[in-house]
Amino acid sequence: MQATINRISAESMRGHLNFLASDLLEGRDTPSRGLDLAAEYIAAQFRAIGLEPAGNEGYFQTADWNILKKEIRRRPGAAVPPPEPEPATPTIVRNVIGVLRGSDPALKDSYVLVTAHYDHIGMKANAEGDKIFNGANDDASGTVSVIELAKAFAGMKERPKRSIVFMTFFGEEKGLVGSRYYGKNPIFPIEKTVAGINIEQVGRTDDSEGPQVASVGVTGFDFSEVGAIIKQAGDKTGIHVWKHPVNSDRYFGASDNQALADQGIPAHTISVAYGFPDYHGLGDEAHKIDYDNMAKVNRAVAVAIEHIANSAVAPNWDEKNPKAAKYLEAWKQRHTAK
């Protein structure tokens, strides 16, 4: 593993992030030209790394945004926008998915998900001067982390026993749309998916509650055994992994891990800063990222992924935690159905 985590490079992530959070991509709104450019860029990195394409169109799991918008309107509590004319052609949006196949004859058909969302909130209407929400920390930082982790694992001489799926989602900012779409239309069987680590806001250390250096929080820390696995990995690599007394549980449903947990997968989000000064602001730009710290955090994540991918025993939801009950029930339904 030492050789693997040594391949995680702050400068490599700086290069990827400076493109993904550049003005050229115009804030990566869903849908938009900038989002399409980001998807193509991520797919190109997966291809260069040597991941196997896992979408329905190469590295892309495609969906029609026009259809998804109708589903969003039908959700309980959703605001009902004014009717729009039916578009003549589909508006295609994409999850980007690559897989590193496992080495064990039996365990290679089980999967660990490493995910992030690559969309952001686009541009500020009717603004003069800077109007682009670049989304460097939210969540280009998570996206480049997925790319870098994929590169690190793809370089291993002996691959982990389980397969590792590297995936970036569209539409998180519109209500976890891309991850919900995957949950309903999984590429890999849900009952064979043992865990998910979602990466969100790991680039900024200037948390609203004070600097967070060599530190990472886990949402729903004690909902499943995944939190303890990440903590053990942090202990080995010098990263303080902790449960925020309020935000750990509060934000469990705020990122793409929620859509996976709803399917029964023990999935959690890691974040360095739960709140930072430029959250959804025009100032969330690439030069404010602490790349060295992001590399350290991702080395801990890599150790956690390796542990899950090589363990014969999959992580479980905590049966004693009432907040995990509905996810445990979803897990049981998936497994008894099979």
Side-chain angles (χ1 to χ4, degrees):
M1 271 306 292
Q2 191 60 50
T4 300
I5 64 176
N6 285 347
R7 283 190 284 272
I8 294 172
S9 161
E11 285 306 304
S12 175
M13 287 188 287
R14 186 193 299 269
H16 295 312
L17 198 147
N18 270 273
F19 175 74
L20 289 171
S22 67
D23 286 354
L24 176 68
L25 271 61
E26 298 178 335
R28 309 186 307 280
D29 197 12
T30 301
S32 69
R33 170 183 171 275
L35 190 76
D36 292 342
L37 287 173
E40 292 286 355
Y41 183 87
I42 297 161
Q45 303 313 311
F46 284 180
R47 186 177 297 111
I49 288 164
L51 298 185
E52 179 183 325
N56 61 300
E57 293 185 11
Y59 291 95
F60 302 131
Q61 181 188 36
T62 60
D64 183 353
W65 182 249
N66 302 316
I67 295 173
L68 295 178
K69 278 197 303 184
K70 294 178 182 178
E71 294 179 1
I72 294 170
R73 292 193 190 104
R74 289 196 294 266
R75 288 182 190 167
V80 180
E84 299 177 5
E86 288 290 333
T89 58
T91 300
I92 300 301
V93 286
R94 304 165 180 86
N95 290 327
V96 190
I97 314 173
V99 60
L100 189 71
R101 295 288 177 181
S103 60
D104 185 84
L107 292 178
K108 69 179 181 180
D109 292 325
S110 60
Y111 305 92
V112 181
L113 303 184
V114 182
T115 64
H117 73 90
Y118 71 97
D119 67 304
H120 195 53
I121 60 174
M123 295 188 287
K124 190 173 185 178
N126 304 316
E128 296 182 2
D130 185 9
K131 60 182 180 180
I132 297 173
F133 297 99
N134 299 93
N137 196 41
D138 182 20
D139 189 27
S141 68
T143 301
V144 303
S145 295
V146 171
I147 293 170
E148 196 68 8
L149 287 161
K151 180 190 75 175
F153 278 95
M156 297 181 79
K157 292 182 179 179
E158 183 177 350
R159 292 183 177 181
K161 294 176 181 180
R162 300 184 191 273
S163 297
I164 307 174
V165 179
F166 298 92
M167 177 161 41
T168 60
F169 298 116
F170 69 87
E172 190 267 0
E173 301 288 4
K174 295 289 197 291
L176 317 183
V177 183
S179 54
R180 292 187 192 278
Y181 183 79
Y182 180 86
K184 294 177 180 178
N185 304 275
I187 301 293
F188 302 97
I190 295 294
E191 67 276 4
K192 293 288 188 179
T193 304
V194 301
I197 296 179
N198 187 58
I199 307 172
E200 170 112 32
Q201 295 179 191
V202 292
R204 296 280 289 266
T205 58
D206 54 337
D207 188 279
S208 57
E209 297 181 5
Q212 298 294 329
V213 178
S215 173
V216 67
V218 180
T219 62
F221 184 96
D222 50 6
F223 290 10
S224 86
E225 294 171 341
V226 172
I229 292 169
I230 298 171
K231 185 180 187 312
Q232 290 165 8
D235 291 343
K236 292 177 180 178
T237 54
I239 297 295
H240 173 56
V241 179
W242 66 302
K243 176 180 180 176
H244 190 285
V246 176
N247 293 335
S248 175
D249 290 1
R250 172 191 289 173
Y251 289 127
F252 185 79
S255 193
D256 290 305
N257 67 285
Q258 174 72 63
L260 304 174
D262 284 341
Q263 302 298 323
I265 301 168
H268 303 254
T269 292
I270 66 161
S271 300
V272 170
Y274 285 109
F276 61 98
D278 302 307
Y279 175 73
H280 282 192
L282 294 171
D284 183 11
E285 298 180 341
H287 68 274
K288 296 180 181 179
I289 299 296
D290 185 335
Y291 294 97
D292 289 334
N293 190 72
M294 187 162 64
K296 292 175 184 176
V297 166
N298 280 315
R299 291 178 188 126
V301 175
V303 172
I305 294 167
E306 187 271 342
H307 175 93
I308 298 169
N310 277 325
S311 176
V313 181
N316 293 310
W317 293 104
D318 185 351
E319 295 187 8
K320 297 179 181 179
N321 189 333
K323 293 182 179 180
K326 68 175 182 178
Y327 310 118
L328 177 60
E329 181 60 29
W331 183 93
K332 289 178 178 178
Q333 289 177 2
R334 284 285 188 176
H335 287 75
T336 53
K338 297 295 178 179

